[in-house]
Amino acid sequence: MSAITAPGILRRISSIWLRHQKCYCKHLLANGFPPFVEPLLFLAAIGIGLGRHIDSVEGIKYSHFVASGLLASTAMFTATFELTYGTYIRMEFEKVYDAILSTPVGLTDAFVGEILWAGSKGVFFSTAVLLTISLFGMVYSPLCLIAPLVGGLTGIVYGALGLIVTSYVKDINNFNFYVTGCCTPMFFLSGIFIPIRELPVFLQKLSYWVPLTHSVSLIRGLILGKVSMAHAGNLVWLLICIPIVVFIAVARIRKRLIA
Amino acid sequence: MAVIAAYNLTKQFKNFTAVDSINFEIDDSECFGFLGPNGAGKTTTMKMVYCISPRTLGSLTIYGMDPQTDASKIKSIIGVVPQDDNLDPELTVEENLIVYARFFGLSRKQYRARIDELTSFMELEKKLKSRIKELSGGMKRRLVLVRALLNNPRILILDEPTTGLDPQVRHLIWEKLRELKTSGVTMLLTTHYMEEASQLCDRLVIMDQGKILLMGNPHDLVEQHIPKHVVEFSLNGSCLNMGTIREKYDCMIETYGSRCYIYSNSDSVLANICKNAKIQHKIIRNATFEDLFLKLTGRGLNE
């Protein structure tokens, strides 16, 4: 009898990532459409409407101020949807994980792969926004090329948070509570539209605990070419947050799936 | 040496015990069946073997390895045909197989060869580019079987492999399973079809409420546990005294609703009973494995 060897952990995780990539790319045009077009709509609305009432924020045109933040929010939303509705459908309706878990891929492999996929979508979506806004001259520094990586970190954090929510949800409609009740407030609290320092003090304090706030600050610094120690703080905040939320997410989903 | 060995294997969920301290050993290249009514614990036992449901108590080894510590290794030599077709509906037939092969770490060269070989083995080679929803139930089932064989498994787990299929597909699948068996694959099979169990299984267990009621070769079990012949008829409108018949002819009698079954080792005794009790519209036949199964697990009255 020959020795039994299972594929290594990297191979197991990447096989999950490749599965998602394959499904995503089957409808590349439809799936790739939103990240390119959504920022255009936002910026048009601001440029035509709101921007005429606000000259500048923190020394730059308001539409430019908002544009950089959209890289982060798009990463948050794509990762959130992927690991809430997407994961739930794969889990409960398509039974994809039943098939996956009967192969050498373990639960940790599968869901770390899943979260990394959310991170990759974060990279892809923020890259799309970056390309779009750079066409409008809203990018100030070559440091912007690093910004999609922050979009990736954002995707990982929000993917893991979404997975934690998914581990509790019994009915797909209940995701509305999370998306509208948590993600939308985070979107408005994160400093994309309103500079944090102009918020009431208690909201300023609250916004510090919103991961998106740190992503927005970091990405904005990179795009505007103004990077400081505060940005290093944002990065550290995100890097500490990631292992914590990923660990909780995998533990929670294990509790749900393995009876 | 037993390929799979379970001792006092137990699985408890919150409120009930799905598998209740069962023992079995499965040998190399054997086809081993798990039979029992729904909820008997068959699927749960299978899930413990292919490492997606941790056991509560007892011991379980697969090639000497423990599912709790060597899950990845064990799963790399197992192929699973689950009860429901959990194919990836977003992908085509070929993509399903490629994606699944990568879960086993197969290289492109390896999976290309396996996919060609197995799709022609299961007569699906013309369907490679089809979407899953375009496949019939029988094709999906064959595809799940192809998928289960991609990693060249030493153990094949078949959870109701032919449920809901037409007889043609069922016979094709049986034929393919026999071929696999001769090539040395060990098989675990659950089924509700007694014919399937008799056709394929070297040994089987009958389970009910988490316990094993009986274990052995299906043909031997029929010989050992029930009389050779049975007469089957409807009780409607007749007023037979079962107690008298049983005492007089020394036979075993069972009723399920209005159906009555009288068992005996001699068919002439059965013919006599029918003649004397004026039973019409009767069937005298050989007792089958299904009779044994119903005797053990049936809800009917055992008089």
Side-chain angles (χ1 to χ4, degrees), chain B residues 202-268:
Chain B
D202 301 306
R203 281 192 307 149
L204 50 77
V205 290
I206 296 179
M207 290 181 75
D208 197 16
Q209 298 182 356
K211 287 190 159 64
I212 290 179
L213 304 178
L214 209 58
M215 182 183 315
N217 173 281
H219 307 288
D220 298 346
L221 289 176
V222 174
E223 276 185 18
Q224 289 158 14
H225 294 274
I226 47 171
K228 280 199 181 69
H229 304 281
V230 57
V231 58
E232 186 182 338
F233 57 93
S234 172
L235 279 174
N236 282 347
S238 65
C239 44
L240 295 172
N241 188 331
M242 293 303 166
T244 326
I245 294 177
R246 188 172 50 207
E247 267 172 39
K248 189 169 167 194
Y249 297 97
D250 186 29
C251 53
M252 186 180 99
I253 300 176
E254 285 178 31
T255 55
Y256 298 111
S258 67
R259 283 311 267 180
C260 182
Y261 302 80
I262 303 178
Y263 294 87
S264 168
N265 274 322
S266 145
D267 49 354
S268 58

Side-chain angles (χ1 to χ4, degrees), chain B:
Chain B
M1 180 199 128
V3 167
I4 302 171
Y7 304 107
N8 301 325
L9 183 61
T10 301
K11 177 73 191 184
Q12 277 164 344
F13 292 106
K14 263 184 198 144
N15 326 321
F16 76 106
T17 305
V19 176
D20 193 356
S21 195
I22 62 171
N23 296 285
F24 61 85
E25 286 185 355
I26 301 174
D27 296 326
D28 200 9
S29 311
E30 183 176 31
C31 180
F32 193 91
F34 288 87
L35 276 73
N38 288 323
K42 310 179 298 286
T43 299
T44 308
T45 305
M46 298 277 210
K47 284 185 171 175
M48 286 191 278
V49 172
Y50 67 89
C51 315
I52 62 166
S53 183
R55 65 181 183 270
T56 315
L57 287 170
S59 84
L60 176 65
T61 54
I62 293 109
Y63 279 101
M65 295 180 286
D66 184 333
Q68 268 155 22
T69 52
D70 283 316
S72 264
K73 271 190 179 175
I74 294 172
K75 289 192 287 181
S76 71
I77 54 158
I78 291 185
V80 179
V81 174
Q83 216 170 83
D84 309 309
D85 296 327
N86 52 16
L87 294 158
D88 211 321
E90 296 178 52
L91 301 172
T92 65
V93 168
E94 188 177 31
E95 288 165 341
N96 257 282
L97 296 173
I98 293 173
V99 162
Y100 203 77
R102 286 200 287 227
F103 295 151
F104 288 94
L106 300 189
S107 69
R108 191 185 158 79
K109 202 177 146 197
Q110 286 169 318
Y111 67 65
R112 279 277 151 226
R114 286 298 285 163
I115 289 172
D116 284 350
E117 181 191 336
L118 291 168
T119 46
S120 70
F121 175 66
M122 289 307 291
E123 298 169 36
L124 278 170
E125 65 272 38
K126 291 200 181 79
K127 292 286 168 188
L128 280 173
K129 304 287 176 202
S130 302
R131 300 178 139 266
I132 298 305
K133 62 180 166 199
E134 293 161 12
L135 303 183
S136 68
M139 289 177 194
K140 280 187 198 160
R141 215 62 194 140
R142 271 142 64 203
L143 179 57
V144 173
L145 195 53
V146 167
R147 195 182 66 173
L149 294 171
L150 282 169
N151 59 323
N152 241 326
R154 296 185 199 177
I155 298 170
L156 189 58
I157 294 197
L158 303 153
D159 199 353
E160 298 187 23
T162 65
T163 296
L165 301 182
D166 63 41
Q168 284 83 355
V169 178
R170 185 178 306 158
H171 281 274
L172 172 77
I173 288 182
W174 287 350
E175 194 45 46
K176 299 300 177 189
L177 292 178
R178 277 189 214 103
E179 279 180 47
L180 287 167
K181 208 176 132 217
T182 47
S183 74
V185 178
T186 306
M187 291 189 211
L188 274 68
L189 171 82
T190 73
T191 180
H192 287 304
Y193 299 115
M194 303 302 137
E195 193 197 347
E196 183 161 278
S198 319
Q199 288 247 3
L200 296 173
C201 295
D202 301 306
R203 281 192 307 149
L204 50 77
V205 290
I206 296 179
M207 290 181 75
D208 197 16
Q209 298 182 356
K211 287 190 159 64
I212 290 179
L213 304 178
L214 209 58
M215 182 183 315
N217 173 281
H219 307 288
D220 298 346
L221 289 176
V222 174
E223 276 185 18
Q224 289 158 14
H225 294 274
I226 47 171
K228 280 199 181 69
H229 304 281
V230 57
V231 58
E232 186 182 338
F233 57 93
S234 172
L235 279 174
N236 282 347
S238 65
C239 44
L240 295 172
N241 188 331
M242 293 303 166
T244 326
I245 294 177
R246 188 172 50 207
E247 267 172 39
K248 189 169 167 194
Y249 297 97
D250 186 29
C251 53
M252 186 180 99
I253 300 176
E254 285 178 31
T255 55
Y256 298 111
S258 67
R259 283 311 267 180
C260 182
Y261 302 80
I262 303 178
Y263 294 87
S264 168
N265 274 322
S266 145
D267 49 354
S268 58
V269 167
L270 293 179
N272 259 337
I273 296 174
C274 293
K275 206 171 114 196
N276 297 340
K278 299 197 172 55
I279 297 166
Q280 288 159 349
H281 306 296
K282 61 191 185 288
I283 307 162
I284 298 184
R285 56 175 175 77
N286 290 332
T288 62
F289 190 71
E290 186 146 345
D291 296 312
L292 173 61
F293 180 84
L294 289 171
K295 181 192 160 206
L296 288 169
T297 60
R299 297 276 172 271
L301 300 168
N302 288 314
E303 287 188 294

Side-chain angles (χ1 to χ4, degrees), chain A residues 21-250:
Chain A
Q21 178 263 338
K22 194 151 210 142
C23 288
Y24 186 79
C25 291
K26 281 189 80 78
H27 308 283
L28 195 55
L29 210 58
N31 286 330
F33 175 75
F36 286 96
V37 176
E38 253 175 28
L40 284 179
L41 298 174
F42 262 107
L43 296 175
I46 287 163
I48 297 165
L50 206 54
R52 286 192 297 180
H53 304 281
I54 308 167
D55 279 349
S56 66
V57 172
E58 298 187 340
I60 53 165
K61 269 180 81 174
Y62 186 56
S63 56
H64 294 209
F65 177 80
V66 172
S68 54
L70 293 179
L71 263 80
S73 63
T74 192
M76 169 180 87
F77 279 116
T78 187
T80 299
F81 284 114
E82 185 71 31
L83 266 65
T84 53
Y85 293 97
T87 298
Y88 190 86
I89 289 168
R90 288 191 282 275
M91 187 163 71
E92 294 294 326
F93 302 134
E94 300 181 347
K95 306 280 176 199
V96 169
Y97 301 112
D98 291 359
I100 290 173
L101 296 179
S102 51
T103 71
V105 176
L107 187 127
T108 307
D109 310 325
F111 286 94
V112 168
E114 188 99 356
I115 292 167
L116 287 177
W117 170 247
S120 309
K121 278 188 87 178
V123 173
F124 172 60
F125 272 57
S126 49
T127 305
V129 176
L130 181 66
L131 285 172
T132 307
I133 67 169
S134 65
L135 293 177
F136 292 86
M138 295 172 167
V139 170
Y140 293 62
S141 158
L143 284 175
C144 74
L145 294 173
I146 308 171
L149 295 179
V150 182
L153 299 181
T154 314
I156 289 174
V157 171
Y158 280 94
L161 288 173
L163 196 55
I164 294 171
V165 173
T166 304
S167 76
Y168 287 101
V169 160
K170 297 275 187 283
D171 184 290
I172 194 163
N173 295 299
N174 293 341
F175 285 121
N176 296 343
F177 292 118
Y178 174 64
V179 173
T180 308
C182 296
C183 293
T184 309
M186 288 197 256
F187 180 52
F188 288 112
L189 261 182
S190 63
I192 294 177
F193 296 101
I194 312 154
I196 302 286
R197 72 175 69 136
E198 290 178 23
L199 292 170
V201 176
F202 83 98
L203 287 181
Q204 285 189 29
K205 284 183 178 157
L206 189 60
S207 77
Y208 178 79
W209 295 102
V210 172
L212 189 63
T213 306
H214 301 277
S215 308
V216 169
S217 162
L218 197 48
I219 289 177
R220 191 170 277 147
L222 292 166
I223 286 182
L224 302 179
K226 293 177 190 161
V227 182
S228 66
M229 277 316 285
H231 294 113
N234 296 139
L235 182 62
V236 169
W237 195 100
L238 287 173
L239 291 177
I240 291 174
C241 178
I242 284 173
I244 298 170
V245 287
V246 170
F247 178 82
I248 297 172
V250 173

